[in-house]
Amino acid sequence: MKHAANRTPSVLPPAKTLTTSARIESVAPLAEARLEFDAVTVTYDGAPALTEISFQIPHGARVAVIGPNGAGKSTLFKTLVGLLPLRRGRILIHGLPLGSHLDCVAYVPQREDVDWRFPVTVEDVVMMGRFGHLGWLKRPSVEDRAVVRRCLEQMGIGKLAKRSIGDLSGGQQQRVFLARALAQEPHILIMDEPFTGVDISTQDATLGLLDDLRHQQVTVMISTHDLHLAKERFDQVALLNHRLIAYGPPGQALTPENLSEAFGGRLLVLPNNQIVIDDCCHESE
């Protein structure tokens, strides 16, 4: 299901954050970064995009969201960060409903949802992650600039700080948005298809970042089509196709029966019992 009318802005507006330590290496959540989805229903042009989605994510968990293209994965993420409205149900962050607290969620959208022609430098984009700390009308402090430099170096793009965001490769652009998320110092990190269309080194850098965030007990949600990655690197899997088909540890959620229900005829079972998803034609949800 396409959501062209809800395209992410050229450069995402900064999400507000709870105040934490300025050092990326020592993020200390002020409360358990738990997420609760309670009967979440979202519609688009009158048609249901998500129906009665209910599950809970414990503090510090790493969750893979899996489903066919158009199943509602991006819709779930955009609703979580306030880019799409709830029709029914509620989402609780730190035990409070959306809009009732300072947001501590960092969001990395799909690359195709961003207009990379926007005239802004790499450093400027990463600094946007600090706006929740310094506010719109205040100038960045020495501390803010130090955080931005540290995040750029952590993602291996320190030398690109003065480059225009539109001049970078896909993998470099992805690293910029990951650095922006780090600069925000989130308690919860949402990434929509971060492994799609990027080089191997950026994939490895992203996985390394996830390992660092696990040590910091940052809650992570990532949408992906990679079943092997979900089984090997994630604690929980949410299997979606407009509704929640399964949620739990990968071995319990990614059964052939559940996958068949989610993907239908796009699920291929090879003679060696290996499961392959024929879902190559990507579209926004």
Side-chain angles (χ1 to χ4, degrees):
M1 179 177 296
K2 289 186 178 293
H3 281 198
N6 292 288
R7 186 178 180 85
T8 305
S10 301
V11 176
L12 292 176
K16 296 178 181 177
T17 61
L18 295 171
T19 301
T20 61
S21 166
R23 290 186 59 80
I24 298 301
E25 296 85 349
S26 59
V27 174
L30 299 179
E32 288 194 351
R34 67 186 185 276
L35 277 172
E36 301 174 53
F37 298 86
D38 181 13
V40 168
T41 297
V42 181
T43 59
Y44 181 71
D45 282 347
L50 293 172
T51 303
E52 298 290 324
I53 301 292
S54 296
F55 64 100
Q56 297 182 5
I57 300 176
H59 170 61
R62 185 187 294 181
V63 179
V65 181
I66 293 177
N69 290 326
K73 302 184 298 296
S74 295
T75 296
L76 183 69
F77 289 173
K78 290 177 180 179
T79 303
L80 174 58
V81 297
L83 295 177
L84 290 175
L86 280 167
R87 178 66 181 270
R88 291 190 303 275
R90 62 179 184 165
I91 300 174
L92 301 180
I93 303 175
H94 294 297
L96 298 173
L98 295 179
S100 65
H101 53 73
L102 292 177
D103 199 346
C104 58
V105 181
Y107 173 52
V108 179
Q110 294 185 30
R111 289 188 59 257
E112 67 183 37
D113 285 343
V114 178
D115 184 353
W116 299 103
R117 297 169 298 178
F118 196 86
V120 67
T121 68
V122 168
E123 186 177 49
D124 291 336
V125 173
V126 179
M127 183 60 74
M128 290 176 185
R130 301 298 300 166
F131 284 178
H133 296 263
L134 57 90
W136 283 99
L137 300 179
K138 295 182 180 178
R139 296 178 63 85
S141 66
V142 172
E143 181 182 39
D144 293 317
R145 296 188 185 281
V147 170
V148 168
R149 286 194 300 271
R150 186 159 54 245
C151 294
L152 288 169
E153 293 297 335
Q154 184 172 348
M155 295 312 304
I157 52 175
K159 295 181 179 179
L160 303 178
K162 302 301 181 182
R163 293 273 301 276
S164 171
I165 189 73
D167 293 339
L168 306 184
S169 68
Q172 290 170 334
Q173 290 171 340
Q174 180 80 334
R175 289 174 186 246
V176 172
F177 267 66
L178 289 172
R180 178 188 183 277
L182 282 176
Q184 190 175 321
E185 297 179 334
H187 300 175
I188 301 166
L189 176 62
I190 310 298
M191 291 193 280
D192 198 355
E193 299 282 2
F195 304 111
T196 300
V198 298
D199 55 86
I200 295 298
S201 65
T202 298
Q203 292 183 33
D204 291 342
T206 303
L207 291 171
L209 172 62
L210 294 184
D211 291 337
D212 291 340
L213 294 177
R214 180 184 290 279
H215 295 309
Q216 300 165 15
Q217 294 190 309
V218 174
T219 302
V220 173
M221 289 183 73
I222 289 181
S223 63
T224 180
H225 291 269
D226 192 329
L227 300 183
H228 178 74
L229 181 69
K231 292 177 180 178
E232 295 296 322
R233 303 296 290 264
F234 289 82
D235 307 316
Q236 306 284 324
V237 170
L239 188 60
L240 294 180
N241 194 345
H242 301 294
R243 62 183 180 84
L244 186 66
I245 293 172
Y247 177 69
Q252 297 178 18
L254 297 178
T255 64
E257 294 78 15
N258 289 339
L259 289 169
S260 179
E261 186 175 353
F263 289 93
R266 286 173 282 191
L267 187 72
L268 305 177
V269 181
L270 302 180
N272 60 358
N273 290 323
Q274 182 179 0
I275 296 175
V276 177
I277 296 172
D278 182 16
D279 203 30
C280 63
C281 299
H282 181 79
E283 62 181 44
S284 299
E285 300 169 3

